[in-house]
Structure formats: structure tokens, C-alpha cells
Amino acid sequence: MRLGAAVLATVSLLVLAAGPVPEVRAPLPERMADTGGGSQLITARAARTSSTTGTVTWWNRRDGRWVQAGSAPARFGAEGLVEGGARKQGTNTTPTGLYDLPYAFGVDPAPEGTSTPYRPVRRTSWWCQDNASRSYNRWTDPRPADCRAAESEHLVSYGTQYAYALVVGFNYARPVRGRGAGIFLHVNGAGATAGCVSVPKDAMRRILNWAEPARGPHIAIGTADGPTAVTRY
């Protein structure tokens, strides 16, 4: 056998031994149907709708490509995830979908570098979840008479979870009564959430430092595949 043929045969055997070259997948935002039109995106992905844990990743779009800026382990609702349009209030499920991030708030002062509008939580700050109230799914300070305390969250009472939080625009622009209120991206508590997405406190600091309103950040919540896959939003 000639030397050239021998070298070619040896290389071929090495390639076969190594197996097929793995497919390089495009970054998750590149595979999504919609990313909200801005140049910043948060993806919150769980393995399946029954999952209570997953991953939050934040991305920047630069030079026509999405680049990962950070990632953290995430927690979801105690009863998993459900399509946002079909969600019912009080079910402890996290709504899937693509949402804007209207503003941030917190019991702690805004982390250095925060450019997102940030509301400090005071003892008079509430999130109204009363379906009968005109303030349904809204921050109120103080709580209005038509919003029952038993049907609302006294924000200062959640000093751990709401040390830092971003409002998720689920059911926010035109609220549908009974669909759900008070869905946030916030700091981890003791376990799964009541429907929000949560991450470690340091991750929330980094997200607030990263987010720039002028770049139109959105959050996409969903699963790895199936009807509620992040890529469908």
C-alpha cells in the first residue's frame, strides 16, 4: 500500500472510531418563534410541565447573534407550569408564554447599576389580587378599600422573596379576572413558588444590573419541548 493511501486509511479509521460529529445547535433564542423584538431576553425553561425546577438564562443580541450573558438554577410553581392563556388563579402554576417586564421592585435597595424603574417596598405596599377590585393585578400603595387584604399580598411580608423582583407582564396590560395576578421573577424562598419564577439572590442582582429598558427585555417561560416549549413563543 502506498504511503498516502495508508495515511488516508488511518485517518478514516480514526474518524469512524470517534463516531459522528455532534450537531451544534443554535442558541435557544435563535430557535424561538418570537423574542419580543428587543435585544435582551430572559428564558426560563423547565424539563416538562410537571417540573418545579429548571434554568433561567439571560441573553444579549449583539451583531445579529444571541449571546448568553448569565444563567442560574430556577424554581417554578409548586404545581408546575401551564399555558398562560389557560391558567387559573390560585393553582400554584407558572404561566408559560412570552412577556414584557414592566418594572422592578424590592424590599432591599436597588442593586448598583440598576436602570430598570425600581419601586422600593414600604409597609403600605401591596399587590392586589382581589378579582372584585378595580386594582386587580396592580401594585397599590396604600391598599384601596375595594381590595381585600386576604386576597392580596402585603409585599413587605416577603422580605426574602421580594428582596428583589421583576414584574412579569402576565395578565397585566388587560387583566382577565380569575386568570392570575402577581407573577414575578424574584429571589428564591424555601421551595417551589406559588406561580412565579425564582432564582438565587445573587442571580437577581446580576439580572437587575444587566437589564436595560431601552433594549426591550422580555421573559419567555416554557418547557424543553411539547405544546408549551419555549421555542413556540
Side-chain angles (χ1 to χ4, degrees), residues 135-160:
S135 300
Y136 178 68
N137 202 20
R138 287 291 184 273
W139 170 292
T140 63
D141 196 344
R143 178 176 54 84
D146 74 340
C147 183
R148 293 169 291 172
E151 298 292 327
S152 302
E153 283 192 343
H154 192 200
L155 299 177
V156 76
S157 298
Y158 300 89
T160 297

Side-chain angles (χ1 to χ4, degrees), residues 2 12 26 28 36 38 63 65 69 94 101 115 118 120 122 132-133 138 151 160 164 174 178 186 205 213 229:
R2 290 179 300 169
S12 299
L28 181 56
D63 301 322
R65 298 183 60 191
T94 299
L101 300 162
S115 58
Y118 191 91
R122 304 185 297 182
S133 174
R138 287 291 184 273
E151 298 292 327
T160 297
Y164 309 119
R174 292 179 293 278
H186 63 67
R205 287 195 196 97

Side-chain angles (χ1 to χ4, degrees), residues 7-104:
V7 171
L8 180 59
T10 301
V11 172
S12 299
L13 287 172
L14 289 173
V15 170
L16 289 172
V21 177
E23 179 186 359
V24 178
R25 303 194 76 185
L28 181 56
E30 301 284 359
R31 293 179 274 124
M32 291 174 56
D34 187 6
T35 57
S39 59
Q40 287 191 324
L41 178 71
I42 299 171
T43 54
R45 186 163 67 159
R48 57 190 65 86
T49 53
S50 59
S51 300
T52 58
T53 60
T55 304
V56 158
T57 307
W58 49 106
W59 309 79
N60 290 316
R61 188 164 180 80
R62 294 176 179 163
D63 301 322
R65 298 183 60 191
W66 285 101
V67 180
Q68 181 175 316
S71 184
R75 296 174 180 171
F76 297 96
E79 296 299 324
L81 299 86
V82 68
E83 167 59 42
R87 187 180 185 270
K88 295 186 183 303
Q89 187 162 323
T91 55
N92 291 335
T93 53
T94 299
T96 64
L98 178 67
Y99 307 106
D100 64 351
L101 300 162
Y103 59 89

Side-chain angles (χ1 to χ4, degrees), residues 101-141:
L101 300 162
Y103 59 89
F105 66 88
V107 174
D108 290 1
E112 185 177 355
T114 299
S115 58
T116 299
Y118 191 91
R119 294 184 177 181
V121 172
R122 304 185 297 182
R123 296 209 62 83
T124 51
S125 304
W126 291 74
W127 196 274
C128 183
Q129 299 181 359
D130 189 338
N131 281 282
S133 174
R134 289 171 294 179
S135 300
Y136 178 68
N137 202 20
R138 287 291 184 273
W139 170 292
T140 63
D141 196 344

